[in-house]
Amino acid sequence: MSTKFLSPKVLNERRLEAVRLRLDGHTVAEAAIRTGLSAPTVSAAWKAFREGGWEGVPVRRRGRKAGQAESLDEEAQGDLESLLASHPDTPEPAWSSRALAVALAEEGHRVSPRAIDHWLTAQGLKPEPLSLESLARKRSSSGRWYRQQVQPVLEQVNQAGGSHWLGGVRVARPDNSADSVPRRYQLYLHGKRGALFTRCLPAPPMAEEYLALFERFLSSAQGPITLLFRGAFLQASPEIQTWLADHPEFHLINVPPNLGLGSAPKVR
């Protein structure tokens, strides 16, 4: 019998009964017939009992945890804005949706990472990562820039067991917002599989903000780092130039404003 039409309560009652029958000496096939469960379900219940006792037999409810909301009220949004303007307590370079959900829970807001992702999208804070694969295939100045100046650095960092990040700085506004809505200056990063990490500031980031970001990278790095960055030419800052000279394991690559136009950027 299929269990997909059984309520969780009925299914768990039958799983517990199947375990009792097995303890009484009945075979899996006999327990399946008596409870109306399939033989694999009886076997799974028996295995769960042997590994975790009676508490391990009931199936866990799937989906989001009880009490987690799929939307943010005004108070939660205000706390979220405050968090995004600060540095996370974790070693991550900026805020992920999961880290934000944990921090909001500590403030009494039980919201899911998915709800935060939806909010970020509505606020215009979900930039797409740069597609390096498409750049590698382009027969243009942008493709040549990538193959000649970016790929060699990536390969070097790969051989040293390092990591690659994409990032940038941008002005972001909520979807369909009026011009009177205050600007947000978003620092964003994309890590493995395009995972987004972000911070939001009321004014353009200064050199110390970028340097704090770089220091957080190195504090948890297992090797050299490559950061492809768009939206600002950071090497124009003397403080950042000095920091980069002191940290040759950090490779900062400027992404040109228009990948199909202009001259290739410098790599450091």
Side-chain angles (χ1 to χ4, degrees):
M1 174 182 178
S2 173
T3 61
K4 65 181 180 179
F5 300 111
L6 299 178
S7 68
K9 180 180 178 182
V10 172
L11 175 59
N12 286 333
E13 289 174 349
R14 295 191 184 187
R15 284 170 64 95
L16 291 167
E17 179 60 23
V19 172
R20 295 189 190 98
L21 290 169
R22 292 287 285 125
L23 289 172
D24 289 339
H26 292 279
T27 66
V28 170
E30 291 169 343
I33 293 173
R34 286 173 176 258
T35 59
L37 299 175
S38 66
T41 300
V42 172
S43 296
W46 179 241
K47 180 180 179 182
F49 170 77
R50 295 181 65 182
E51 293 179 351
W54 290 108
E55 293 183 356
V57 178
V59 293
R60 299 287 187 264
R61 179 179 293 180
R62 296 180 180 178
R64 61 185 174 90
K65 296 180 180 178
Q68 280 193 334
E70 287 305 317
S71 62
L72 287 78
D73 59 26
E74 289 187 8
E75 184 179 358
Q77 291 185 49
D79 288 344
L80 181 53
E81 294 270 12
S82 297
L83 288 170
L84 286 171
S86 66
H87 291 287
D89 293 334
T90 66
E92 294 175 339
W95 287 101
S96 65
S97 295
R98 186 172 299 278
L100 286 167
V102 171
L104 284 176
E106 294 174 353
E107 298 293 329
H109 309 293
R110 295 188 60 80
V111 297
S112 67
R114 178 178 295 181
I116 293 172
D117 277 334
H118 290 328
W119 183 86
L120 290 172
T121 299
Q123 297 295 314
L125 297 173
K126 289 276 286 186
E128 290 294 324
L130 180 67
S131 175
L132 299 183
E133 292 78 8
S134 64
L135 279 178
R137 294 192 296 267
K138 283 187 176 181
R139 295 185 176 181
S140 62
S141 60
S142 60
R144 288 191 296 274
W145 161 74
Y146 177 78
R147 289 187 295 272
Q148 295 173 8
Q149 298 202 38
V150 179
Q151 271 189 332
V153 179
L154 298 183
E155 291 171 0
Q156 175 187 343
V157 171
N158 273 338
Q159 292 174 0
S163 57
H164 308 301
W165 291 77
L166 306 173
V169 61
R170 61 198 284 266
V171 176
R173 282 196 178 101
D175 294 342
N176 303 318
S177 65
D179 291 339
S180 59
V181 174
R183 288 184 173 187
R184 283 193 189 96
Y185 293 85
Q186 182 186 17
L187 270 172
Y188 64 93
L189 303 160
H190 289 103
K192 290 183 178 179
R193 294 180 291 277
L196 176 67
F197 298 83
T198 187
R199 287 190 65 216
C200 291
L201 304 169
M206 303 299 285
E208 55 265 26
E209 292 287 351
Y210 294 113
L211 293 178
L213 179 70
F214 297 167
E215 291 288 353
R216 293 180 73 88
F217 268 121
L218 293 184
S219 67
S220 58
Q222 301 298 318
I225 293 173
T226 302
L227 173 60
L228 273 73
F229 198 87
R230 64 196 312 182
F233 183 69
L234 301 182
Q235 287 90 332
S237 164
E239 296 93 336
I240 293 178
Q241 273 282 28
T242 298
W243 189 92
L244 290 171
D246 292 337
H247 299 83
E249 70 276 25
F250 192 93
H251 302 269
L252 178 63
I253 303 177
N254 300 295
V255 177
N258 297 298
L259 289 178
L261 301 173
S263 58
K266 295 180 181 179
V267 178
R268 188 2 240 110

